[in-house]
Amino acid sequence: MLADNLERIDAALPGVLSAVARRHGVGTGINAAPGFAEAVAAEIASLTGLPFVTRAQQVHVQGAHDALVHLSGTFRTLAVSLYKIGNDIRLMSCGPRAGFAELVIPENEPGSSIMPGKVNPTQAEALTMIAVQVMGNDVAVGVGGPAATSR
C-alpha cells in the first residue's frame, strides 16, 4: 500500500514543480525577455535541488491550483491507507483475554487499572488522528482550489 502511494505522490509532483515566472500580465509572455521564465525556473531548481520547470501554458498554472489539489488528493489517499493500517493494528492487537491478540504491540504506557494486562495502541491511535487531519485538510484544499485567482 505504501509503495503504491509513493508512486502516486511521485507522479503528482511534476505538476507542482512548474514555476510561473513571467514579468507581465496573465502569463502571455508579452513584454518579457526571451528565456526569462526558463532562467527563473532553472535558478529556483538550482537553489532548491528540485526539478522546477516552466510550462508553455502559463495562464493555467498562474490562474488555478489544480496541481496542488491533485497532490493533496494523493496525500489523502496515503492518509486513507495509513488509517486502515492503524485500524488493522488496533484490531489485531486487541486482547489479551478477548479479541484477536494476533499482534503484540509495545507496552509504552500503563494499561488500565480495571483491565490488567491491557496495552493501549497509542501509536496506532496517533497515526489515525494524523490521517484524519490530512483527510480534512484535503477537503479544505478541494474547496479552496477553485477560488484561485491570477495576480
Side-chain angles (χ1 to χ4, degrees), residues 68-129:
L68 293 172
V69 173
H70 179 227
L71 181 62
S72 178
T74 61
F75 287 148
R76 182 198 63 236
T77 304
L78 170 61
V80 169
S81 295
L82 291 172
Y83 190 80
K84 184 202 180 342
I85 290 169
N87 279 338
D88 288 351
I89 290 171
R90 185 173 34 203
L91 177 66
M92 301 308 277
S93 66
C94 65
R97 295 189 176 103
F100 296 124
E102 290 184 26
L103 295 177
V104 177
I105 58 176
E107 296 182 30
N108 295 330
E109 295 85 18
S112 168
S113 60
I114 61 170
M115 298 170 62
K118 178 182 180 203
V119 177
N120 295 320
T122 54
Q123 286 82 12
E125 292 294 337
L127 179 64
T128 59
M129 286 189 278

Side-chain angles (χ1 to χ4, degrees), residues 21 34-45 54:
F36 175 76
E38 291 77 10
V40 170
E43 181 65 17
I44 294 171
T54 189

Side-chain angles (χ1 to χ4, degrees), residues 2-17 50-51 67 70-75 78:
L2 298 180
D4 287 347
N5 279 289
L6 288 176
E7 287 178 16
R8 288 183 190 101
I9 292 169
D10 285 342
L13 284 177
V16 297
L17 295 175
L50 298 171
H70 179 227
L71 181 62
S72 178
T74 61
F75 287 148
L78 170 61

Side-chain angles (χ1 to χ4, degrees), residues 21-38 40 58:
R22 305 256 182 178
R23 293 183 59 173
H24 52 78
V26 295
T28 62
I30 296 173
N31 295 328
F36 175 76
E38 291 77 10
V40 170
Q58 291 286 312

